[in-house]
């Protein structure tokens, strides 16, 4: 009997020792969905998530809350602070940061070539923010008003990323601003299938969706191409562009249908790494008309 008690005591001591060790080495992971809470561990975690996204590019930890991507230094102190204030969304916030950072880095490596020019739809606010990030004002990127909060702006685009055109790129291309926009517009039109090849007419009350690798919102630039879809839906067509790769549309303007459309727009914008706009646009032969 004493031997039995001794074995049980030893087993209990072993269990408690193992538990103490686990708690001593893993407090940073408690209740965080696997994201470390200490600054150094958090930085290594984010770097580990970035490495597979950037392929052979070198991603290193420079110091706590500073990551090196090739020669670039990226601070993640705001991301860390956000995680500290809202642990339940931390893993999702890190995932969104990783996707956006990888896209931005890949975009910076896109060469200035005429064949990769595209004309895309963005918000004026996003172009202004991009310019502030680089320094200066938004005129460098030459945006032009489109409809509501949306502008059109030329970019260099590949299947993996895109980047706005900077002033020095016009010299590299050997094109004027107008020639660059016209080349971008033609390239975009040639790269997009006709609307009815991608978007099928939807019954009243349903929401149609166009998404994929091509810059779907750029389709809005070519207003005449939407006429067959509008005609097929009895002349009614309302669209939304919640993300850089998504267009939603409906074939009626019933209040319940518009509410369903707005709900999907909100959901996509919250989840997307590249949200665009919640504005609804009604098609007309002369152009898009904002509804909200």
């Amino acid at each position: 009997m004493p031997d039995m008690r001794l074995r049980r005591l030893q087993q209990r001591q072993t269990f408690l020792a193992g538990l103490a060790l686990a708690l001593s080495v893993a407090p940073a992971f408690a209740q965080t969905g696997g994201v470390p809470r200490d600054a150094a561990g958090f930085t290594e975690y984010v770097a580990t998530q970035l490495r597979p996204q950037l392929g052979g590019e070198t991603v290193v930890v420079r110091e706590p809350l500073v990551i090196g991507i090739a020669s670039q230094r990226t601070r993640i102190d705001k991301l860390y602070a956000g995680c500290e204030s809202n642990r339940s969304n931390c893993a999702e916030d890190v995932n969104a940061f990783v996707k956006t950072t990888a896209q931005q880095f890949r975009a910076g490596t896109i060469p200035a070539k005429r064949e990769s020019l595209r004309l895309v739809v963005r918000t004026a606010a996003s172009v202004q923010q991009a310019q502030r990030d680089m320094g200066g004002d938004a005129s460098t990127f030459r945006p032009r008003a489109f409809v509501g909060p949306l502008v059109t702006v030329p970019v260099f685009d590949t299947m993996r990323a895109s980047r706005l055109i900077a002033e020095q790129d016009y010299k590299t291309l050997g094109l004027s601003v107008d020639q660059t926009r016209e080349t971008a517009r033609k390239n975009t039109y040639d790269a997009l299938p006709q609307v009815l090849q991608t978007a099928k007419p939807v019954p009243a009350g349903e929401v149609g969706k166009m998404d994929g690798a091509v810059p779907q919102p750029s389709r809005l630039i070519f207003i005449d191409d939407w006429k067959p879809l509008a005609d097929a839906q009895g002349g009614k067509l309302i669209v939304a562009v919640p993300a850089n790769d998504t267009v939603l549309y409906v074939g009626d303007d019933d209040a319940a249908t518009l509410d369903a459309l707005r709900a999907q727009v909100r959901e996509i914008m919250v989840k997307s790494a590249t949200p665009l706009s919640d504005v609804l646009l009604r098609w007309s032969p002369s152009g898009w008309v904002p509804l909200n």
Side-chain angles (χ1 to χ4, degrees):
M1 185 65 70
D3 290 343
M4 180 67 70
R5 292 196 185 98
L6 179 61
R7 283 197 296 273
R8 288 177 178 173
L9 178 61
Q10 290 172 336
Q11 289 171 347
R12 178 175 175 79
Q13 289 173 333
T14 300
F15 170 77
L16 292 175
L19 178 61
L21 177 62
L23 292 174
S24 69
V25 300
F29 289 83
Q31 298 179 352
T32 67
V35 183
R37 298 197 66 158
D38 65 294
F42 180 82
T43 308
E44 182 58 44
Y45 175 84
V46 176
T48 300
Q49 304 304 306
L50 272 169
R51 288 181 182 119
Q53 293 284 333
L54 296 179
E57 300 295 340
T58 302
V59 178
V60 298
V61 174
R62 299 291 188 191
E63 59 188 79
L65 303 184
V66 178
I67 290 174
I69 304 174
S71 60
Q72 299 178 11
R73 287 170 61 88
T74 301
R75 296 194 60 84
I76 57 172
D77 48 338
K78 291 183 179 179
L79 178 65
Y80 179 69
C83 276
E84 284 298 287
S85 64
N86 189 348
R87 300 306 303 180
S88 62
N89 288 339
C90 184
E92 186 174 339
D93 289 345
V94 170
N95 185 53
F97 171 83
V98 166
K99 288 183 178 180
T100 300
T101 300
Q103 288 172 349
Q104 291 174 343
F105 182 78
R106 288 194 294 263
T109 65
I110 297 175
K113 295 183 178 180
R114 295 187 185 190
E115 57 266 30
S116 61
L117 282 170
R118 297 292 186 271
L119 193 60
V120 299
V121 174
R122 295 288 186 267
T123 62
S126 69
V127 176
Q128 291 166 0
Q129 182 59 54
Q131 187 59 64
R132 284 194 294 269
D133 291 342
M134 294 182 63
D137 59 66
S139 62
T140 299
F141 295 135
R142 314 283 182 157
R144 291 185 183 175
F146 182 48
V147 57
L150 303 176
V151 299
T152 59
V153 62
V155 302
F156 294 111
D157 183 82
T158 69
M159 292 298 290
R160 299 185 67 202
S162 65
R163 74 171 174 89
L164 292 161
I165 297 177
E167 201 65 37
Q168 65 269 21
D169 291 320
Y170 293 105
K171 297 179 181 179
T172 302
L173 293 169
L175 298 173
S176 68
V177 172
D178 288 341
Q179 288 171 332
T180 298
R181 288 186 66 91
E182 184 55 37
T183 301
R185 180 185 175 93
K186 182 180 184 304
N187 288 352
T188 303
Y189 187 81
D190 292 343
L192 293 173
Q194 291 297 305
V195 169
L196 280 182
Q197 291 181 253
T198 306
K200 303 304 180 185
V202 293
E206 294 188 12
V207 178
K209 184 177 183 180
M210 305 166 69
D211 58 6
V214 300
Q216 300 288 353
S218 293
R219 294 179 182 277
L220 271 62
I221 297 169
F222 310 103
I223 190 69
D224 292 342
D225 286 3
W226 292 88
K227 186 177 186 303
L229 180 60
D231 289 345
Q233 296 181 164
K236 291 185 178 180
L237 174 61
I238 296 170
V239 306
V241 285
N244 289 347
D245 59 356
T246 305
V247 174
L248 300 178
Y249 63 96
V250 296
D252 71 278
D253 53 7
D254 182 78
T257 301
L258 296 183
D259 286 345
L261 176 58
R262 291 188 177 100
Q264 289 197 30
V265 167
R266 288 192 297 269
E267 182 179 359
I268 291 173
M269 292 188 71
V270 167
K271 294 180 179 180
S272 175
T274 56
L276 186 50
S277 173
D278 62 357
V279 66
L280 303 188
L281 303 171
R282 183 189 297 274
W283 181 88
S284 76
S286 59
W288 299 103
V289 180
L291 288 187
N292 55 345

